[in-house]
Amino acid sequence: MRAVLFNAFGETPELVEVPEPECPPRGAVIRVRATGVCRSDWHAWMGHDDTVSLPHVPGHEFAGEIAAIGSEVGADSGWGVGDRVTAPFICACGRCDECRSGNEQVCDEQSQPGFTHWGSFAEYVAIDEAELNLIRLPDSLGFVEAASLGCRFATAYRAIMSRSRLATGEQIAVHGCGGVGLSAIMIAVAAGVKVYGVDVSDGALAAAEKLGAVPVRGGEGAAERILEASGGGVDVSIDAFGSTETSFSSVRSLKKRGRHVQVGLMVGDSALAAMPMDAVIAGELEILGSHGMAAHEYPFMLSAVASGDFRPIELVGRRITLDQVPKALASMGKAGGAGSGMTVVEL
């Protein structure tokens, strides 16, 4: 099959021919029809994730058709070759304590296509535990739109709807208006609350404003600008980018008893980012993490998309081909290089 592969971290990936993946006994192989290009893929390429081994094929936001079913998948599972599916980027084991408690998104034995094994920048991708992790796509949902849900929209959905406890009449700030940030804005606007979109890019701010957010210039002084615009601070603030600066600004943007939700990955030096703990204590602030979404939660989101409550297809900024992935991946590390909205590969 064709796949985008790199042999060293930070080295330019190449489109090459590699063997098709073997089907796990309890898993499945998916014929990839569309896959998103996410900043998390850039982190994998740069060597920021210690689960990645070389050589490697990245990619974790995908939708497609079942090409093969594992020999140990139950005959009564309801899955068959040709079924239109997606899967969460965190494929759970179904057996650990977290899975048994319904928290598959933090599974102790999780596997992640594009990280723990080869991913979806390829014609085929394998996933583990098909009966637990496969998600059937509604007939009305195209592959490109389904791929846009895979990591960024689903992560934003759970961060807003579950982790943040956003309520009617509250205000929310979203720091970083890329794929996950714009997803968060779309979801929060649909909830009927006032939303502030924060970014350093004019294009990203324009995209946030188009979705219904109040644009706020990011960078130095961003927190003060939000405090002024919101009349003393927001109830919820999300760092959708993941940096020392954006996480700090997010916490400083909060009013008393506000909630900060960290969605953007914090790697390298940022993994130990300083926090204004004086403000956390004095204002009884909450700092929350949000890590993807379990497969069993997807139907609620998919029904909202099918009904038109959310239109993630509007967040797709570019559609590219597999041979364009290396350039798109490299651009993720440049300020404004990824453009506004999501990039989705069509196969």
Side-chain angles (χ1 to χ4, degrees):
M1 68 174 182
R2 295 181 305 146
V4 174
L5 179 140
F6 58 86
N7 291 289
F9 295 121
E11 179 184 273
T12 302
E14 295 183 344
L15 182 61
V16 297
E17 293 282 335
V18 299
E20 293 180 11
E22 295 184 6
C23 188
R26 297 167 61 91
V29 172
I30 311 304
R31 169 71 170 95
V32 179
R33 295 297 185 183
T35 180
V37 182
C38 176
R39 186 170 172 82
S40 299
D41 300 315
W42 179 83
H43 283 302
W45 172 55
M46 291 299 293
H48 297 159
D49 190 311
D50 59 11
T51 66
V52 175
S53 58
L54 299 172
H56 189 65
V57 175
H60 65 290
E61 298 179 319
F62 59 88
E65 300 156 338
I66 296 177
I69 294 283
S71 59
E72 296 179 18
V73 176
D76 59 350
S77 68
W79 296 113
V81 171
D83 286 350
R84 302 172 70 253
V85 296
T86 187
F89 72 92
I90 297 163
C91 289
C93 74
R95 297 177 293 276
C96 70
D97 289 344
E98 295 297 344
C99 285
R100 287 198 294 268
S101 70
N103 292 296
E104 292 99 328
Q105 74 282 350
V106 288
C107 169
D108 292 331
E109 302 295 333
Q110 64 189 251
S111 63
Q112 295 186 28
F115 298 92
T116 62
H117 62 281
W118 284 10
S120 57
F121 291 165
E123 293 178 314
Y124 295 91
V125 63
I127 69 158
D128 295 321
E129 302 297 333
E131 293 187 59
L132 177 64
N133 295 307
L134 284 179
I135 300 161
R136 194 178 303 277
L137 297 177
D139 292 339
S140 60
L141 193 65
F143 289 125
V144 169
E145 189 168 18
S148 75
L149 297 174
C151 167
R152 287 164 284 188
F153 198 89
T155 296
Y157 181 86
R158 184 169 177 274
I160 295 287
M161 304 301 288
S162 176
R163 298 296 285 157
S164 81
R165 310 190 308 277
L166 185 66
T168 302
E170 292 190 325
Q171 298 185 85
I172 180 172
V174 178
H175 298 254
C177 299
V180 69
L182 292 177
S183 299
I185 288 170
M186 176 178 282
I187 294 162
V189 168
V193 303
K194 191 163 188 178
V195 186
Y196 301 90
V198 189
D199 208 290
V200 296
S201 161
D202 291 337
L205 289 174
E209 186 172 22
K210 185 177 180 180
L211 289 175
V214 176
V216 176
R217 177 65 57 183
E220 186 177 352
E224 288 72 23
R225 288 187 283 275
I226 294 171
L227 291 170
E228 181 178 357
S230 63
V234 292
D235 303 276
V236 173
S237 189
I238 291 180
D239 177 12
F241 180 74
S243 73
T244 300
E245 183 177 42
T246 51
S247 61
F248 194 93
S249 289
S250 177
V251 174
R252 294 294 294 176
S253 302
L254 293 169
K255 65 190 296 186
K256 289 182 178 179
R257 302 184 70 243
R259 289 95 69 196
H260 161 78
V261 185
Q262 188 64 43
V263 173
L265 293 178
M266 303 289 281
V267 299
D269 293 340
S270 293
L272 300 175
M275 282 284 109
M277 296 307 293
D278 55 341
V280 171
I281 296 167
E284 292 192 347
L285 307 180
E286 295 181 51
I287 298 178
L288 305 163
S290 193
H291 189 235
M293 188 166 77
H296 70 79
E297 294 183 273
Y298 268 70
F300 302 100
M301 179 182 69
L302 290 175
S303 65
V305 173
S307 68
D309 291 344
F310 307 130
R311 287 186 51 80
I313 194 67
E314 294 178 358
L315 303 178
V316 177
R318 289 193 299 162
R319 302 186 188 204
I320 64 174
T321 55
L322 200 56
D323 64 311
Q324 294 174 294
V325 169
K327 183 177 180 180
L329 190 63
S331 72
M332 285 279 174
K334 302 173 183 176
S340 62
M342 300 182 186
T343 297
V344 175
V345 185
E346 291 186 274
L347 284 81

